[in-house]
Amino acid sequence: MLAAIEATRHGAGSVLLLDRSLIGRGGATVMAQMTVAAAVGPGDHWQYHLADTLAAGRGLCDPELAALLCRVGAECILEMDDWKVGWARQGNGFAQVQAPGHDRARCVYVDFLSTGPAVSRTLRTQLQRQGEGIRRLGEILVTDLVVQNGTVTGAVALNVATGQPITIAAPATIIATGGLTRLYARNSASANMSGDGYALAARAGARLIDMEFVQFFPIGHLAPRLIGMDPIMWDPFRYKLGGRLLNGAMQEFVERWGGDAEDGTYSTTRDLATYAITKEVEAGRGSPNGGAWLSFTHVPEATLRAAFGPVIDRLAANGIDLTRDCIEVSPIAHYHMGGIRVDPRMRTDLPGLLAAGEAVGGANGANRLSGNAITEALAFGRIAGAEAARIAALPAPAFNPAAAAPALALLSSTASMRNIAALVARLQHLMAQHVGPFRTAAGLNQASTALAALAAELGTAPPGTPGIPHDLNRQDWLDLRQMLLVAEAVIIGAIARTESRGAHQREDFPALSPAWERNLLLRLPAGATHLELA
Amino acid sequence: MPSTRLHIRRGGPGEAPRHDVFDLSFEPGESILDALRRLRISADPTLAFRYACLNANACKECMMLLDGKVIYACTARLEARDMRLDPLPNKPLLRDLATAIAPPDERLD
Ligand SMILES: Cc1cc2nc3c(=O)[nH]c(=O)nc-3n(C[C@H](O)[C@H](O)[C@H](O)COP(=O)(O)OP(=O)(O)OC[C@H]3O[C@@H](n4cnc5c(N)ncnc54)[C@H](O)[C@@H]3O)c2cc1C
Ligand code: FES
């Protein structure tokens, strides 16, 4: 949304904003409940934020992209404040909390657990203020880009509401499709996070970077079943109230796996907490459902209420009383550090194609600091929008409908009925089992073989006939086609990287190797069906 | 495990209304959306309904009628009884439980 706003502000006369879901409601942004990191507090500077970001990235951050995230991101946070997003206040400034890995309290938020909805709402309002220049269309699922002599000239998409294909001509296209965590059985994703953008870019011929780095969020909600709240909601509780992470025997354990004693504070980084919980469960000391306990029973009720007000009632509706009950948590797929390779102007390898947000790889290296993702989405959206406006004003090749023909033919094709939802579920389980935070050559190779079997079952055309409104089975097919390519990218990267670093941990190569302080790039050669290291 | 019987309205605009019946067992605390998604995997992949965020109750896409009352499928809990699901009555029907809920200027019909 910010990319579209910025393109208009930079003179683009005609912007088309497409979303496979409702505009501004289908992705991760609206779901984010927590905090946003930006150097906007007294005494802070974006370079301090950059130093923390680079340290967390364990040598793999693209320093230019990381610097843009921190510098432009802070500007965006202030602009969002001008736009009345409602960042929580303390005294004369913003209320800011300290998240693990940051050297100070740097994370702004909107109470109570409303950061994402507030950000989305604010951007939507600004979008509408731009008037006729931006056309917004929801329920348009982009399935392929149109490429003419190496230049991206538009896209082919499915109109979900009618089941009919459409083509779009554009002198500049920005991929801002978010991440890939729907690949995993346990995730914090929406239905729209199948990694479409990575697959779109790769199929068009652009390179992907760092695809092996999937961030697992250590304390995703596990049990009891909690509805109406996103599974990573315990993080803000930990920021504000500390809380205690305990094993099945109600003992603290993070120290045992190399962490520092927490003493009721929240100081363990995501990769370490994920490791500690997984190892504790493997050692047979997990909670009943295979995770760890999180306890706030030592926090007085008045303190809980002051910090989270209405959320305490929502928990009560789920039968959870934090003064009495511990909850079970375990790692879930949450964010993807890798993505489409771009330059500091968000241009991909292909003329006419840009990327923004979580779809971009490289800014966060091997591990992302908490709060950096919304900042990244805003900063890169702003840069990409301005650059796209500049590109759109230059002469561009005329759109050639023939270049869109194969992608249109796919959407118009017919095949026998099959249950694709079940195949998606199989992929999710296989990724969770073999390509989670802890990997081995044997497991990754098994995953690779299983992926080939799924690809064979997928076939070459979506099930049923075109033209059926809201046909989830055909959509699942189109999604699985992209997910299989994206899963292959993660697996190839994970097999190649024979070391452990940040979010990528190889049990057969447990040490960090200085020789591996480099990025892995992948490309899909023209006409090929499998990715290669580039 | 308790079990529920879902009566789900099927078909598109202009088709004679019919309700398909699905029986399934559930864990206490599970939502109607949990059940619908499970049905697509285990029983009928062609079942149409809308959702995006699954858990967060952020996208507001999953609105439908439960026994005639508007609910979010992702926050309404399954109960051990007959439950009737219908599409929103005041929105154009796409198919089954899915309706066109986007603002008219954000649709390409
Ligand atoms: C539950 C949750 C909580 C989080 N909390 C925080 C937090 O507190 N702080 C933080 O910094 N980060 C947080 N993150 C991460 C952060 O929210 C995301 O990284 C960020 O919002 C990504 O923004 P984006 O614009 O790149 O993508 P998104 O907001 O995910 O938007 C992508 C959009 O692209 C659309 N789309 C996808 N594929 C297609 C296609 N093929 N055709 C058309 N449209 C398509 C989707 O429908 C979606 O609307 C959280 C993530 C999750 C999932
Ligand atoms: S699925 Fe998003 S609100 Fe129900």
Side-chain angles (χ1 to χ4, degrees):
Chain A
M1 289 192 278
L2 188 55
I5 295 167
E6 198 65 8
T8 309
R9 293 202 291 200
H10 280 79
S14 158
V15 176
L16 184 58
L17 173 62
L18 302 177
D19 199 298
R20 54 179 291 167
S21 219
L22 301 177
I23 304 286
R25 299 226 231 127
T29 305
V30 71
M31 294 166 72
Q33 296 187 340
M34 310 191 294
T35 62
V36 183
V40 292
D44 202 358
H45 191 278
W46 65 265
Q47 286 182 336
Y48 301 149
H49 184 189
L50 176 60
D52 289 345
T53 299
L54 295 176
R58 306 237 180 356
L60 290 198
C61 294
D62 177 320
E64 282 185 287
L65 293 182
L68 288 169
L69 185 162
C70 298
R71 182 171 62 75
V72 180
E75 293 166 15
C76 292
I77 295 305
L78 294 176
E79 177 158 58
M80 292 295 287
D81 190 54
D82 293 340
W83 287 343
K84 309 228 170 343
V85 69
W87 301 130
R89 302 273 159 176
Q90 197 170 41
N92 293 329
F94 300 117
Q96 288 180 285
V97 290
Q98 179 160 12
H102 290 278
D103 70 348
R104 69 193 69 215
R106 177 173 290 134
C107 297
V108 298
Y109 57 91
V110 181
D111 266 327
F112 289 95
L113 305 192
S114 296
T115 298
V119 168
S120 292
R121 196 183 330 110
T122 305
L123 291 177
R124 254 194 84 95
T125 306
Q126 293 301 323
L127 207 56
Q128 280 159 323
R129 290 235 168 109
Q130 302 301 323
E132 301 289 294
I134 302 177
R135 182 157 185 221
R136 311 178 302 271
L137 285 179
E139 296 178 87
I140 303 293
L141 168 61
V142 175
T143 54
D144 277 292
L145 297 172
V146 180
V147 187
Q148 294 170 224
N149 299 322
T151 296
V152 172
T153 57
V156 166
L158 174 76
N159 180 350
V160 174
T162 62
Q164 300 293 350
I166 60 169
T167 50
I168 302 123
T173 301
I174 302 173
I175 295 181
T177 49
L180 55 58
T181 43
R182 187 185 167 203
L183 289 180
Y184 289 87
R186 276 179 44 70
N187 62 55
S188 63
S190 82
N192 302 318
M193 296 179 212
S194 323
D196 288 5
Y198 310 128
L200 291 171
R203 284 186 207 285
R207 281 175 301 168
L208 306 179
I209 182 169
D210 291 345
M211 290 298 285
E212 63 275 27
F213 291 103
V214 181
Q215 183 170 66
F216 283 75
F217 174 74
I219 52 168
H221 185 83
L222 178 63
R225 181 78 182 106
L226 177 65
I227 60 181
M229 306 190 77
D230 108 51
I232 70 157
M233 56 160 295
W234 296 114
D235 218 33
F237 274 78
R238 297 214 70 200
Y239 289 144
K240 283 194 180 175
L241 304 171
R244 298 171 64 212
L245 202 54
L246 306 168
N247 67 11
M250 293 293 172
Q251 300 157 337
E252 293 189 344
F253 60 89
V254 177
E255 270 177 283
R256 190 176 285 146
W257 305 105
D260 295 326
E262 288 200 310
D263 292 330
T265 63
Y266 186 23
S267 53
T268 312
T269 54
R270 288 182 174 176
D271 46 358
L272 204 123
T274 298
Y275 182 71
I277 295 174
T278 309
K279 287 293 157 190
E280 201 67 10
V281 172
E282 274 175 21
R285 292 189 295 264
S287 62
N289 287 286
W293 291 108
L294 181 61
S295 168
F296 297 95
T297 52
H298 58 290
V299 181
E301 183 170 4
T303 313
L304 286 168
R305 280 234 162 249
F308 290 102
V311 181
I312 303 298
D313 299 321
R314 270 150 72 194
L315 288 170
N318 277 283
I320 298 172
D321 173 356
L322 290 179
T323 61
R324 188 191 64 204
D325 308 317
C326 305
I327 58 264
E328 285 181 69
V329 294
S330 76
I332 55 175
H334 180 51
Y335 174 86
H336 186 224
M337 274 71 75
I340 303 166
R341 191 192 162 279
V342 296
D343 71 7
R345 281 146 77 177
M346 303 300 138
R347 294 177 300 189
T348 69
D349 291 337
L350 306 179
L353 184 64
L354 302 94
E358 193 172 335
V360 165
N364 293 287
N367 189 36
R368 170 182 68 100
L369 280 183
S370 97
N372 265 12
I374 301 256
T375 318
E376 166 187 67
L378 294 171
F380 292 0
R382 186 195 256 200
I383 298 167
E387 180 65 14
R390 194 188 66 79
I391 294 172
L394 303 172
F399 183 78
N400 176 5
L408 279 173
L410 181 70
L411 293 183
S412 309
S413 58
T414 304
S416 61
M417 274 310 281
R418 281 156 295 148
N419 186 336
I420 309 297
L423 294 185
V424 171
R426 244 171 68 198
L427 173 69
Q428 292 172 322
H429 284 105
L430 113 91
M431 289 299 285
Q433 193 182 353
H434 298 301
V435 200
F438 305 99
R439 301 154 175 186
T440 61
L444 291 167
N445 288 326
Q446 237 171 301
S448 203
T449 310
L451 214 58
L454 275 172
E457 282 181 64
L458 182 74
T460 53
T465 50
I468 296 177
H470 211 80
D471 187 340
L472 289 183
N473 203 35
R474 268 174 93 84
Q475 259 186 67
D476 276 341
W477 189 92
L478 295 164
D479 290 353
L480 187 58
R481 165 180 175 253
Q482 310 293 42
M483 289 165 88
L484 289 176
L485 189 71
V486 176
E488 180 180 81
V490 178
I491 293 170
I492 293 177
I495 290 177
R497 184 173 287 281
T498 46
E499 66 151 357
S500 291
R501 185 184 294 268
H504 166 77
Q505 296 289 324
R506 283 283 298 261
E507 299 201 285
D508 42 358
F509 295 93
L512 185 134
S513 152
W516 269 113
E517 196 170 312
R518 59 188 175 87
N519 303 102
L520 275 175
L521 289 157
L522 296 169
R523 87 149 45 89
L524 187 67
T529 46
H530 292 289
L531 292 155
E532 288 177 358
L533 291 172
Chain B
M1 257 205 235
S3 72
T4 182
R5 170 165 292 182
L6 298 179
H7 301 254
I8 301 178
R9 158 77 189 258
R10 303 301 300 268
E15 287 177 52
R18 71 166 208 276
H19 284 81
D20 282 356
V21 178
F22 297 93
D23 289 311
L24 79 172
S25 47
F26 64 94
E27 279 178 37
E30 280 194 300
S31 69
I32 290 187
L33 184 63
D34 291 335
L36 293 174
R37 293 176 59 220
R38 213 157 58 230
L39 281 178
R40 284 199 62 242
I41 294 173
S42 65
D44 185 352
T46 69
L47 184 61
F49 49 94
R50 302 186 69 122
Y51 67 99
C53 72
L54 308 178
N55 276 303
N57 195 220
C59 73
K60 312 296 182 193
E61 268 202 67
C62 63
M63 275 189 285
M64 56 182 69
L65 296 185
L66 165 61
D67 298 330
K69 283 217 296 269
V70 178
I71 50 134
Y72 293 115
C74 70
T75 58
R77 284 167 205 279
L78 291 169
E79 291 167 28
R81 62 178 179 88
D82 285 58
M83 302 179 94
R84 198 183 81 235
L85 297 176
D86 290 281
L88 292 175
N90 54 350
K91 301 281 178 194
L93 178 65
L94 294 173
R95 203 164 60 80
D96 298 348
L97 301 172
T99 50
I101 55 174
D105 64 342
E106 295 186 355
R107 281 189 231 148
L108 180 77
D109 294 321

